[in-house]
Amino acid sequence: MLKRLEATKVRLGEVDQELSSENIMKDLAKFKALSKERANLEPVVECYDQYLKFESDLKDAEVMMGDSDPEINAFGHEEHKRILEEEDKLIEKVKILLLPKDPNDDKNIIVEIRGAAGGDEGNIFAGDLFRMYVRYAEHQGWKVQMIEENISEAGGYSLVSFMIKGDSVYSKLKFESGAHRVQRVPKTEASGRIHTSTATVLVMPEMEDIEVEINMADVQVDTYRSQGAGGQNVNKTESAVRMTHKPTGVVVSCQTEKSQIQNREICMQMLRAKIYAKLQEEQEEKFGNERRLKVGTGERSEKIRTYNYPQNRVTDHRIGFTVQKLDRVMEGDLEEIIEALIHYDQEMKMLGEQQ
């Protein structure tokens, strides 16, 4: 570990030297990549410098422990114990910082929520989940941009897709993909019986052109009039866009913007994200054993979490984590669950490195 830390410090020096060169601003892509690398290296180097200071302080404490003066001797023992405890905490922090970083962690995301089992109640629950994520995004200071919405007559959505933009959004919400189950008395149920319904969530990192190349000759583009409240501009022109990627069969659409050009741009963002997600899924199926070290599989059919209204309980089945505050969770108070998932994933990665 010390060799890796020393190498990281050397690399930070090299990055700083490159960033200070006169010609760096002529290559914005390189500047962006180096700045991102520096942001990842700096906290590791800060911990390494702190570790070296602890080692120096321990030697000073050992000298005091050998002093003939009882007070100095006692103080030396206290300092030695305190520094060792602080150093142990620092080493645990460093282990996490040195874990392989998900290259998508810093990215914005595209989220797609669909009402699944339960008919109208599944759609209503999809709307509840959408509201939950929007509230969480607001708490984090992130921005939400609507992409597509198919509103259900009974309330909620049969489908709603949106983008969340902000700092390290994917790192926080990447474990939300899967089937979310709700247990409650539906608004549509007169007899007061508890029903079980589900909605599926798909979280995809936003991809750039250079990361997922798409040959437009493989894409069928259709335009149509947006569906929504009558009389608005969006309904009077063919501004809505649907794109079909023929090689993969991936279909995306957007009708939220008044301009066809804007809807095309959003469709391309979604297309890149969905094709990337499809390729990732195929790759993970091929190397399934490695995937077991991560939190769940991200498949829509996998029931990852249950929201039990009568007991005010939320349970994440992948890690056996339960909180008795469903009312607060549905208002966007997701941090405790998200932190538990991140911590579990870190533990599994550390276990994998040890093996």
Side-chain angles (χ1 to χ4, degrees):
M1 186 174 73
L2 289 175
K3 287 182 180 179
R4 289 178 66 183
L5 289 171
E6 180 58 37
T8 302
K9 186 166 186 175
V10 171
R11 177 56 189 159
L12 180 62
E14 293 171 350
V15 170
D16 281 340
Q17 192 170 1
E18 288 188 70
L19 284 171
S20 63
S21 69
E22 293 181 1
N23 298 323
I24 188 62
M25 294 310 294
K26 294 179 181 178
D27 189 344
L28 291 178
K30 185 178 181 181
F31 174 75
K32 185 178 176 182
L34 286 171
S35 298
K36 186 176 179 181
E37 184 181 0
R38 192 189 190 288
N40 292 328
L41 293 172
E42 188 174 29
V44 179
V45 174
E46 286 176 354
C47 285
Y48 181 46
D49 289 341
Q50 183 62 57
Y51 173 80
L52 295 176
K53 184 177 185 305
F54 280 152
E55 287 294 293
S56 175
D57 291 345
L58 279 174
K59 290 178 181 178
D60 291 341
E62 286 168 0
V63 171
M64 288 188 285
M65 287 165 63
D67 198 284
S68 57
D69 187 306
E71 288 187 8
I72 295 176
N73 185 290
F75 180 72
H77 278 85
E78 288 176 9
E79 278 295 283
H80 194 271
K81 181 182 177 182
R82 182 189 65 79
I83 295 166
L84 282 178
E85 289 174 353
E86 291 295 319
E87 191 175 73
D88 286 343
K89 292 177 185 177
L90 184 71
I91 289 171
E92 290 304 309
K93 182 180 178 181
V94 169
K95 285 180 181 178
I96 293 172
L97 287 172
L98 288 177
L99 287 173
K101 188 173 171 61
D102 188 327
N104 296 319
D105 274 353
D106 295 330
K107 293 183 177 177
N108 299 326
I109 62 171
I110 294 172
V111 185
E112 184 179 274
I113 305 175
R114 294 177 181 268
D120 287 341
E121 176 60 16
N123 292 339
I124 292 170
F125 181 50
D128 293 337
L129 290 176
F130 168 64
R131 182 175 179 273
M132 177 184 77
Y133 290 126
V134 169
R135 288 294 180 92
Y136 179 71
E138 289 171 352
H139 296 334
Q140 298 295 312
W142 299 336
K143 292 182 179 179
V144 176
Q145 178 184 358
M146 291 297 295
I147 295 174
E148 185 180 9
E149 53 181 354
N150 294 335
I151 299 172
S152 172
E153 289 184 8
Y157 303 92
S158 58
L159 164 69
V160 58
S161 56
F162 53 100
M163 184 179 288
I164 302 180
K165 300 179 179 181
D167 294 332
S168 304
V169 181
Y170 187 72
S171 69
K172 290 277 193 174
L173 293 176
K174 62 184 174 181
F175 299 125
E176 294 301 299
S177 290
H180 294 239
R181 179 172 63 179
V182 63
Q183 294 173 329
R184 64 184 175 189
V185 178
K187 296 174 184 176
T188 55
E189 176 63 51
S191 62
R193 293 180 301 164
I194 294 175
H195 282 221
T196 298
S197 306
T198 59
T200 61
V201 176
L202 179 61
V203 176
M204 301 167 284
E206 181 188 14
M207 308 306 294
E208 297 180 9
D209 294 348
I210 57 173
E211 295 168 301
V212 178
E213 292 185 10
I214 297 175
N215 185 349
M216 289 308 295
D218 295 330
V219 180
Q220 178 181 322
V221 181
D222 300 302
T223 60
Y224 57 98
R225 292 190 181 186
S226 299
Q227 303 297 310
Q232 295 182 17
N233 180 68
V234 289
N235 302 322
K236 295 177 180 178
T237 61
E238 290 197 352
S239 58
V241 177
R242 182 187 300 110
M243 290 185 177
T244 304
H245 188 246
K246 297 172 186 176
T248 59
V250 171
V251 180
V252 299
S253 59
C254 181
Q255 59 178 24
T256 55
E257 302 298 326
K258 292 181 180 181
S259 162
Q260 189 184 111
I261 294 174
Q262 289 175 307
N263 285 329
R264 279 175 177 267
E265 289 176 358
I266 294 171
C267 272
M268 284 304 299
Q269 289 176 320
M270 290 181 68
L271 202 59
R272 285 193 294 268
K274 281 203 166 188
I275 290 172
Y276 175 80
K278 188 177 180 69
L279 294 174
Q280 284 290 99
E281 186 178 337
E282 291 172 358
Q283 187 176 3
E284 283 158 4
E285 283 179 7
K286 189 176 179 181
F287 303 103
N289 291 334
E290 282 185 32
R291 183 63 176 170
R292 297 293 171 258
L293 294 174
K294 297 185 180 180
V295 181
T297 64
E299 294 176 4
R300 295 195 196 188
S301 60
E302 181 188 10
K303 291 181 179 62
I304 63 168
R305 193 175 299 152
T306 293
Y307 303 74
N308 186 295
Y309 275 73
Q311 299 177 19
N312 197 39
R313 170 173 55 82
V314 181
T315 298
D316 196 290
H317 304 293
R318 296 164 293 180
I319 59 175
F321 183 80
T322 297
V323 290
Q324 301 288 153
K325 57 174 188 178
L326 181 143
D327 53 338
R328 288 160 57 190
V329 168
M330 299 311 293
E331 289 297 319
D333 187 2
L334 278 167
E335 196 64 23
E336 190 175 351
I337 297 172
I338 287 170
E339 287 298 323
L341 287 163
I342 291 172
H343 181 68
Y344 179 84
D345 186 54
Q346 290 170 345
E347 286 184 340
M348 292 300 100
K349 282 179 180 175
M350 282 194 278
L351 181 62
E353 286 213 334
Q354 289 169 7
Q355 291 175 345

